[in-house]
């Protein structure tokens, strides 16, 4: 049956029609909040007063978050209203590429932000020279390029696999593990490569993050309470996002695929909930952003 090849059917989060309608409303609200919140952050951080590296990274993070949730959410939300949530083969591969491209870019940008916070707190006098415009531009450029390379390496092997049998993807978006389950070939090598690829990236970035926070804590040793307070309020929001994003992604990608139903509920976190919370987490913690938002509202 070659027709099953042309499209896949994505599973919904629930089989129950009534529950699906509730999900439709809830997730549509989540997605609207994600896009609106991140657009506000984009607008606010583009103002001339907020020109420090932190806001430069924040702008890119908000843009990535909008793209990232847009790769999965609209397809999932519209799926709540139809009997079979189908996606074309090309659409499926495109979605797989998008999820890994924006997800990986987000990981790299969060890592760059940790380095930026580390420099701001540990080397405050040299900070403007250390974090020059050029360096920040390079860091963001490398983040996007790294995301592109990672997702190409994740997507290509899967796009080349033969799919001839069942076409129900055990997930609400096309991802590596659920697609490997459907291929009509031995996919152990691809499975290992995927885990290694995602694992190396998640773990190495996580280690860089932990190290930069370690350095920050060590540099604060002799400081007064006010110094501690300032440093932790700067980093608090970042640590929150890192935990919310890295915890679930590491859980899904670093272990071999066994229980896909668990992956589905965990994936909700990093595809929709973290992108929605990012603007809140960063703006609630940040006086300058709040002031800029008040200005924007007055206008």
């Amino acid at each position: 049956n070659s027709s099953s090849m042309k499209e896949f059917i994505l599973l919904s989060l629930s089989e129950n029609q009534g529950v699906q309608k509730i999900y439709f409303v809830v997730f549509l609200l989540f997605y609207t909040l994600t896009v609106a919140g991140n657009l506000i952050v984009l607008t606010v951080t583009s103002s001339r007063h907020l020109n420090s590296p932190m806001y430069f990274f924040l702008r890119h993070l908000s843009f990535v978050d909008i793209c990232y949730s847009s790769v999965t959410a609209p397809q999932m939300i519209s799926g709540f209203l139809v009997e079979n949530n189908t996606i074309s083969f090309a659409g499926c591969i495109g979605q797989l590429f998008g999820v890994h491209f924006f997800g990986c870019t987000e990981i790299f940008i969060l890592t760059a932000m940790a380095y930026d916070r580390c420099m701001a707190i540990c080397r405050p006098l040299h900070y403007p020279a250390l974090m020059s415009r050029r360096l920040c531009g390079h860091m963001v450029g490398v983040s996007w390029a790294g995301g592109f390379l990672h997702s190409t390496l994740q997507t290509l092997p899967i796009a080349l696999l033969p799919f001839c049998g069942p076409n129900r993807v055990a997930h609400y978006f096309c991802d590596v593990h659920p697609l490997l389950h459907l291929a009509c070939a031995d996919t152990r090598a691809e499975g290992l490569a995927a885990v290694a690829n995602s694992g190396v990236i998640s773990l190495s970035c996580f280690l860089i993050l932990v190290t930069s926070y370690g350095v920050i804590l060590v540099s604060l040793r002799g400081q007064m309470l006010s110094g501690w307070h300032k440093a932790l309020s700067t980093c608090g929001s970042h640590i929150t996002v890192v935990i919310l994003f890295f915890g679930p992604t590491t859980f899904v990608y670093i272990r071999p695929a066994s229980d896909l139903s668990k992956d589905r509920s965990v994936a909700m976190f990093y595809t929709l909930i973290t992108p929605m919370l990012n603007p809140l987490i960063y703006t609630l913690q940040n006086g300058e952003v709040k002031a800029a938002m008040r200005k924007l509202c007055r206008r």
Side-chain angles (χ1 to χ4, degrees), residues 64-77:
V64 170
D65 274 334
I66 293 171
C67 300
Y68 188 45
S69 54
S70 299
V71 173
T72 55
Q75 176 82 36
M76 173 182 79
I77 292 164

Side-chain angles (χ1 to χ4, degrees), residues 2 31 67 76 79 82 90 99 120 124 152 154 177 221 251 284 291:
S2 60
Y31 179 59
C67 300
M76 173 182 79
V82 294
V99 166
T152 305
Q154 286 288 52
H177 295 324
R221 264 191 326 210
F251 173 81
L284 292 177

Side-chain angles (χ1 to χ4, degrees), residues 272-288:
L272 243 181
I273 296 183
T274 315
M276 176 176 75
L277 294 178
N278 273 356
L280 286 173
I281 291 168
Y282 279 108
T283 48
L284 292 177
Q285 299 259 1
N286 187 311
E288 285 179 305

Side-chain angles (χ1 to χ4, degrees), residues 30 36 44 63 65 79 104 132 146 170 187 189 195 206 219 243 251 262 266-267 269 273-274 280 282-283 289-290:
F30 278 5
V44 169
F63 179 68
D65 274 334
C104 186
S132 64
T187 59
V195 170
F206 191 67
S219 77
I243 291 169
F251 173 81
K262 269 208 200 82
V266 173
F269 259 96
I273 296 183
T274 315
L280 286 173
Y282 279 108
T283 48
V289 174
K290 276 191 257 186

Side-chain angles (χ1 to χ4, degrees), residues 101-228:
F101 177 39
F102 295 117
C104 186
T105 305
E106 171 141 356
I107 286 178
F108 289 149
I109 290 175
L110 286 170
T111 311
M113 288 170 90
Y115 177 77
D116 168 63
R117 293 300 79 209
C118 188
M119 291 296 126
I121 291 165
C122 302
R123 308 282 301 276
L125 298 176
H126 301 118
Y127 176 67
L130 284 169
M131 294 299 287
S132 64
R133 273 233 143 106
R134 267 190 70 185
L135 178 66
C136 294
H138 285 328
M139 285 169 92
V140 164
V142 168
S143 298
W144 284 99
F148 185 81
L149 180 68
H150 160 78
S151 60
T152 305
L153 290 174
Q154 286 288 52
T155 310
L156 261 182
I158 289 176
L160 299 172
L161 285 171
F163 291 95
C164 54
N167 65 341
R168 291 186 79 82
V169 179
H171 209 319
Y172 62 87
F173 64 88
C174 289
D175 205 356
V176 176
H177 295 324
L179 288 175
L180 288 177
H181 273 273
L182 296 180
C184 316
D186 180 7
T187 59
R188 274 176 300 201
E190 284 86 352
L192 277 172
V195 170
N197 184 346
S198 297
V200 166
I201 289 174
S202 305
L203 277 176
S204 50
C205 289
F206 191 67
L207 288 173
I208 295 171
L209 288 160
V210 171
T211 311
S212 58
Y213 287 125
V215 172
I216 288 172
L217 290 174
V218 170
S219 77
L220 291 174
R221 264 191 326 210
Q223 289 219 17
M224 311 294 276
L225 262 175
S226 61
W228 272 91

